[in-house]
Amino acid sequence: MEPTAAPVFRITPALPEEVARRTAALDEIGDTEGVPRVRALNALAASLPLAEAERQLALGTEAYALATRLGDAIGQARAAGLRGRALFVLSENEAALPLLAEAIARFESLGMTDDALSARAALAGAHMSLGFYEEALAGGLANLEAVRASGDRVAEGWTLNGLSTAYADLGDADRALDAAQQAREAFTAGGSDFGRARAETSMGAAYLVRGDADAAEASLRSALTVFHRLEDIVGESRVLDDLGTTARIRGDLEAGLALHREALGRRRALANRHAQSTSLLHIGQALVALGRPAEAIEALDEARALAASVGARPREAQVCGVLVDAYAALGDPTRALAAARAQMEAHEAVLDAQTRSRLQTMQVRFETERLREAKRAETARAEALADANGRLIDALGELRAAQRQLVQTEKLSSLGRVTAGIAHEIRNPLNFVVGFSGLAVDLIAELREILDTHPIADPAAAAAASETLALLASNAARVDEHARRANDIVTGMLEHSRAIGGPRGQVGLSEVLDAAIIDAQEVAPGGLRLVREGDDVEIEAAPGALRRAFTNLISNAFLGLSDRALAPPDGWTPTLTLAVRRTGDASVEVTVEDNGVGIAPDAHALIFEPFYTTRPAGQGTGLGLSLAYDIVTEGHAGRLDYRDTPGDGATFVVTLPVSGS
């Protein structure tokens, strides 16, 4: 049996006597290559505190190389996990991902459940630092189920604490607070004072998201007392930084700035570049609020450099957002625009990194499975070996196809997760453009009236003024038109990024369709003939989301009918047919059919892609059908298909599961 070893991802502070004992054990073995040295290297690395992550990385790298030469699968798995954990602590998150994925796959294949859980905790932390919130939450929730089944309350507490951090970063204060409170209960039951202090820290962060400064300070002060007693600098620096945010919420900007700077001092001592960039970001925010933009830019530039050095693109994007405000306060629009562009580039880099991460994880898991199959095949008959090889070839082909498809579609599938952040960042400056462009149009009209009432005496000057005024009026009108167009696009992006589900309940499809017709009537053609077919069917759904989906489909039909109405054939009447039909016990089909202009065959494969539109420039954002598709397929486990209507027109078919099926 394999001897018990320390978990690869230590969260509680290391005991100096344990480190000394394991160092002595390694010295006793010496340089003799063998499995005992691999075990000793891994054990020492696992016992080291967070501040010695570089030493842990060196020990894990040596153990991994030796275990690989010896064919020591257990040692190789633990060393991969230790290297990944060390890189995560050093904020080298993207480099940590493939190592942690490899460790998890190896631990699972060896039945080492506890080690797999601890490596998953590190993987979730790396995903969070890189802005891969979906992966972090999925991993955390899967871990929570496993640790609860094991009965380990302390491990349950750490998993819940990680989930609280994820929810807080996503701005979900209620879920963040609930997870942190559950974590505190689990740590209390497990007798971990340190864990309870970390949970109190997470509770404080959740209260900050909610804007409750008093509750936040109470939780943070409680945690700080424990961290002082345990001499935990990491915990102290986090609490001090959050207390600085608490002070700023209360309006005491100078006190907040001082606390952020105190936290930064501790974080510089730990050499954690990601944490340093966080404190510098908060210092920059405080200085901007204090009206000291030049000092803010100095701190923000350092924060941006640190974030870039560790590949923390989400943090880099946040810093660029504050730099926009700082340069605007200095009256430097050119640099403000450059910072805004850098922010957009950082958001795009997160998507690229996420794609690479998923491809690496798929490749590691595939290779691990291949090794496992090969090991089993060694004892199988020749016929079984041939079958196994065939399955591996098929799997490799599927993997390569999946990789190609993932590269092509990942940015589109991730759009809904990032558009809200991007749209919110540009909404405020865009509102200024819309407002002032409209004001400019009005002011030019007033100036024209003034000149008409009080003409310029000099004919040449009057002609030049009139010509210049006409040019200004034309330019202002175009700016106003395109600003409003951009505002419509941002609004569409925000709608597209909203939840595709929502509160669910029993709802009749006739009620949903009636409401959607009312919502879309603004673009309905004159003389419309509306045909309703079939009976009402009740399903379990999110009524608001489903209403948006059908509103978009009906609006699309109305626009097609309006286009044809511009040059209608003889005897043509604009007709919209809505039909509800049961297709068995398990599903219902809703057909939205029109006799409008239809959709060109070369556009069929693109109509559900975000921002694709056949409308003329300035008319429509290309998000309506994409949003409808996401609501039906992802939000309601249904299908949305398109087919040509015989003759002319278009037909969309929505297939939904029936309640209780």
Side-chain angles (χ1 to χ4, degrees):
M1 293 291 290
E2 172 67 14
T4 301
V8 298
F9 185 65
R10 173 185 292 278
I11 303 176
T12 54
L15 297 175
E17 56 267 29
E18 182 183 356
V19 176
R21 179 168 55 83
R22 295 187 183 277
T23 301
L26 178 61
D27 292 340
E28 184 176 347
I29 293 172
D31 295 332
T32 304
E33 290 200 352
V35 172
R37 180 168 177 80
V38 174
R39 297 293 184 271
L41 287 165
N42 282 336
L44 175 57
S47 69
L48 294 175
L50 294 174
E52 294 192 50
E54 290 185 350
R55 184 184 177 196
Q56 183 182 66
L57 178 61
L59 291 167
T61 301
E62 181 182 351
Y64 188 90
L66 180 55
T68 301
R69 290 197 298 272
L70 297 172
D72 176 13
I74 292 175
Q76 197 172 5
R78 285 205 171 112
L82 286 162
R83 292 169 67 202
R85 181 262 192 183
L87 288 168
F88 163 61
V89 174
L90 292 168
S91 299
E92 301 288 348
N93 295 293
E94 194 166 348
L97 295 183
L99 285 168
L100 292 168
E102 176 188 354
I104 291 166
R106 290 183 180 278
F107 287 142
E108 288 177 347
S109 69
L110 295 167
M112 300 169 68
T113 306
D114 291 342
D115 289 277
L117 289 174
S118 62
R120 284 187 183 279
L123 183 63
H127 279 147
M128 281 298 302
S129 297
L130 288 167
F132 304 170
Y133 301 117
E134 181 180 348
E135 289 85 350
L137 283 174
L141 291 170
N143 252 19
L144 182 59
E145 182 178 351
V147 296
R148 280 178 170 166
S150 72
D152 187 337
R153 298 307 304 277
V154 173
E156 178 185 351
W158 286 118
T159 305
L160 285 162
N161 198 64
L163 286 170
S164 176
T165 301
Y167 286 130
D169 283 356
L170 288 169
D172 192 336
D174 291 338
R175 283 197 175 100
L177 183 59
D178 180 63
Q181 289 171 338
Q182 290 186 56
R184 183 177 61 178
E185 293 172 5
F187 284 130
T188 301
S192 174
D193 289 344
F194 178 77
R196 190 165 61 253
R198 282 297 181 93
E200 291 279 358
T201 305
S202 296
M203 288 173 61
Y207 283 126
L208 286 177
V209 174
R210 184 180 283 179
D212 189 342
D214 291 339
E217 181 167 12
S219 294
L220 293 170
R221 293 291 181 188
S222 175
L224 188 60
T225 300
V226 178
F227 290 139
H228 274 316
R229 175 166 54 83
L230 295 175
E231 298 181 352
D232 180 65
I233 301 176
V234 174
E236 286 182 7
S237 64
R238 166 68 188 276
V239 170
L240 288 169
D241 200 64
D242 284 350
L243 284 172
T245 303
T246 303
R248 287 193 290 124
I249 289 175
R250 286 176 168 153
D252 193 345
L253 299 177
E254 290 290 353
L257 179 61
L259 285 163
H260 290 319
R261 283 174 168 163
E262 186 177 358
L264 177 62
R266 284 169 165 75
R267 286 173 164 176
R268 288 194 194 280
L270 291 169
N272 187 316
R273 288 173 286 172
H274 190 279
Q276 290 175 55
S277 71
T278 301
S279 291
L280 286 163
L281 167 64
H282 294 158
I283 289 170
Q285 290 172 330
L287 289 169
V288 169
L290 284 166
R292 293 151 61 183
E295 294 178 56
I297 290 170
E298 182 178 353
L300 293 168
D301 283 342
E302 183 181 357
R304 183 179 177 186
L306 286 168
S309 72
V310 298
R313 288 305 188 119
R315 175 70 73 247
E316 191 176 352
Q318 289 178 297
V319 173
C320 288
V322 183
L323 277 169
V324 171
D325 296 335
Y327 282 123
L330 279 177
D332 190 340
T334 301
R335 290 186 178 179
L337 179 59
R341 288 173 177 166
Q343 184 180 26
M344 294 288 290
E345 291 172 359
H347 282 302
E348 292 175 0
V350 171
L351 290 177
D352 293 337
Q354 193 169 23
T355 299
R356 291 194 301 272
S357 167
R358 290 180 176 179
L359 290 173
Q360 288 173 343
T361 301
M362 289 173 65
Q363 186 66 46
V364 168
R365 288 189 174 278
F366 172 77
E367 292 297 331
T368 302
E369 181 62 24
R370 185 184 64 81
L371 292 172
R372 188 185 301 169
E373 289 287 344
K375 183 177 180 179
R376 287 200 294 261
E378 289 175 358
T379 59
R381 294 175 301 171
E383 295 81 4
L385 178 61
D387 292 341
N389 287 337
R391 288 195 297 273
L392 288 171
I393 291 172
D394 291 341
L396 181 58
E398 292 172 5
L399 175 66
R400 287 173 176 166
Q403 289 174 327
R404 289 192 297 268
Q405 183 66 20
L406 185 60
V407 170
Q408 294 171 356
T409 63
E410 183 57 25
K411 287 188 178 181
L412 289 176
S413 67
S414 300
L415 180 64
R417 296 190 294 271
V418 299
T419 51
I422 298 173
H424 279 298
E425 292 295 339
I426 65 175
R427 193 67 181 270
N428 286 338
L430 185 57
N431 284 339
F432 278 104
V433 175
V434 172
F436 283 107
S437 63
L439 180 61
V441 171
D442 295 338
L443 291 174
I444 291 170
E446 292 178 15
L447 181 58
R448 188 186 298 276
E449 291 177 5
I450 293 171
L451 290 176
D452 289 341
T453 306
H454 303 83
I456 299 173
D458 184 349
S466 178
E467 182 180 350
T468 301
L469 193 60
L471 180 60
L472 284 174
S474 174
N475 289 346
R478 293 179 65 187
V479 170
D480 185 61
E481 174 189 353
H482 289 289
R484 294 181 188 279
R485 164 67 175 159
N487 191 55
D488 289 342
I489 292 173
V490 170
T491 301
M493 291 172 69
L494 286 170
E495 182 180 53
H496 198 281
S497 66
R498 286 190 302 175
I500 58 178
R504 303 176 74 89
Q506 297 296 317
V507 62
L509 286 174
S510 291
E511 177 184 351
V512 174
L513 292 173
D514 289 340
I517 292 170
I518 293 172
D519 292 342
Q521 64 184 358
E522 183 177 335
V523 294
L528 174 69
R529 176 172 172 258
L530 181 63
V531 179
R532 298 287 293 272
E533 297 177 354
D535 299 323
D536 191 19
V537 176
E538 190 171 80
I539 66 171
E540 183 180 357
L546 202 58
R547 176 174 173 175
R548 286 200 300 275
F550 281 113
T551 297
N552 291 345
L553 292 174
I554 293 171
S555 297
N556 187 76
F558 284 166
L559 292 172
L561 292 168
S562 298
D563 287 345
R564 193 172 191 189
L566 297 174
D570 293 338
W572 177 81
T573 300
T575 303
L576 174 67
T577 302
L578 302 176
V580 180
R581 182 173 63 91
R582 287 291 293 261
T583 54
D585 295 334
S587 62
V588 61
E589 189 177 90
V590 183
T591 303
V592 181
E593 178 181 344
D594 67 74
N595 63 342
V597 295
I599 298 175
D602 58 354
H604 291 178
L606 304 172
I607 56 176
F608 296 121
E609 290 187 5
F611 297 111
Y612 178 81
T613 179
T614 59
R615 309 295 302 167
Q619 299 181 23
T621 61
L623 291 170
L625 292 179
S626 171
L627 176 61
Y629 186 88
D630 288 347
I631 290 171
V632 171
T633 59
E634 297 182 28
H636 291 82
R639 288 180 55 190
L640 176 55
D641 301 302
Y642 170 80
R643 64 170 181 252
D644 287 321
T645 302
D648 292 302
T651 300
F652 288 90
V653 181
V654 177
T655 305
L656 296 166
V658 175
S659 305
S661 61

